[in-house]
Amino acid sequence: MKKSNRFGFCNISLKKAVAVRFRSFSRKVSKSHTETLTAMMDFFEWHGISPKSKFGMSEQNEHAKTRKRVEANIAILRDIEQTQTKPLSIQMDLLFEGQTRQRERPKRVERLFADGTASMDPPENDATMVPREQLESAERRFADLRKDMAYLLDRIKLVRPALGKEQLRLEMSPVRFEALKAGFENKKE
């Protein structure tokens, strides 16, 4: 009867030069040949590389990926610094200095006319002036258009059908819609 191997060892046939090289390598890495071989296989599996592939190319690819990730992180940090940190630091500086910024109001510019007089108001005979009645009429029409547009927008609803794309639905009677449309066409003129 054969004795059963307690540790479950088996033999592998290697060339003598390879076996000598492996033994010297194994002494540097770990206590046993089994641990060395296990560590080597784990390394290759973990990093997803094959012993037959050129390591230099995959290393360059990893460097390129790492560089892109670092550049993306730098861009994110710069964005955070500009949009969040700098305004906060300015506010903190102002708070601790006890100063408040006041908005500068634009200065009124005086117009000089050909006769050398200065006036804050535009001249009465300026060709670019609009008569007050026309201005008030345009403002009324604009206010009416805003009301009509707000009314129209309030009647638009988003519909999400079970199948197909989302759609906008106008919930208004056809008579009211035609009246609104006619009103818009009248206000164009």
Side-chain angles (χ1 to χ4, degrees):
M1 230 196 229
K2 290 185 177 180
K3 287 185 178 178
S4 64
N5 198 344
R6 197 169 100 174
F7 296 108
F9 289 105
C10 69
N11 295 328
I12 298 176
S13 299
L14 300 172
K15 290 184 180 179
K16 186 174 183 175
V18 175
V20 170
R21 185 175 168 205
F22 180 72
R23 285 184 186 129
S24 66
F25 177 76
S26 180
R27 285 185 205 120
K28 296 176 192 174
V29 175
S30 64
K31 294 180 181 179
S32 71
H33 300 312
T34 303
E35 289 177 11
T36 303
L37 198 53
T38 304
M40 288 170 42
M41 290 186 297
D42 289 344
F43 173 82
F44 286 118
E45 288 175 357
W46 178 262
H47 293 289
I49 52 177
S50 169
K52 292 185 178 183
S53 67
K54 296 282 186 184
F55 189 67
M57 290 305 290
S58 63
E59 186 177 344
Q60 289 174 355
N61 291 341
E62 289 298 320
H63 282 297
K65 288 178 186 176
T66 304
R67 184 174 181 185
K68 286 180 184 178
R69 290 178 190 144
V70 168
E71 288 174 358
N73 287 335
I74 289 172
I76 290 169
L77 290 174
R78 283 185 183 156
D79 182 53
I80 289 171
E81 182 179 304
Q82 289 175 352
T83 59
Q84 296 173 7
T85 309
K86 284 185 180 178
L88 181 62
S89 65
I90 290 171
Q91 290 173 353
M92 294 299 288
D93 290 342
L94 291 175
L95 179 67
F96 287 121
E97 290 176 9
Q99 298 177 356
T100 58
R101 286 190 179 176
Q102 296 177 354
R103 290 187 180 176
E104 293 182 16
R105 294 187 179 185
K107 295 178 182 178
R108 296 182 81 181
V109 178
E110 293 182 339
R111 289 188 174 190
L112 294 177
F113 299 108
D115 61 354
T117 60
S119 172
M120 297 303 288
D121 297 322
E124 295 296 324
N125 59 359
D126 193 359
T128 60
M129 284 190 56
V130 177
R132 185 174 301 270
E133 295 85 24
Q134 274 185 322
L135 179 64
E136 289 173 354
S137 172
E139 287 174 346
R140 278 192 304 273
R141 282 185 292 170
F142 179 69
D144 291 342
L145 281 173
R146 282 188 73 140
K147 286 178 188 174
D148 291 343
M149 186 57 80
Y151 177 81
L152 184 65
L153 290 173
D154 285 340
R155 293 326 177 259
I156 295 176
K157 305 295 179 199
L158 179 65
V159 177
R160 293 186 176 129
L163 299 172
K165 296 181 181 179
E166 295 177 343
Q167 298 175 352
L168 297 175
R169 179 179 292 161
L170 180 60
E171 295 179 352
M172 182 184 296
S173 70
V175 174
R176 176 66 178 133
F177 178 73
E178 290 299 324
L180 193 62
K181 187 176 172 183
F184 275 122
E185 290 180 6
N186 289 339
K187 291 176 186 174
K188 278 185 192 176
E189 300 165 0

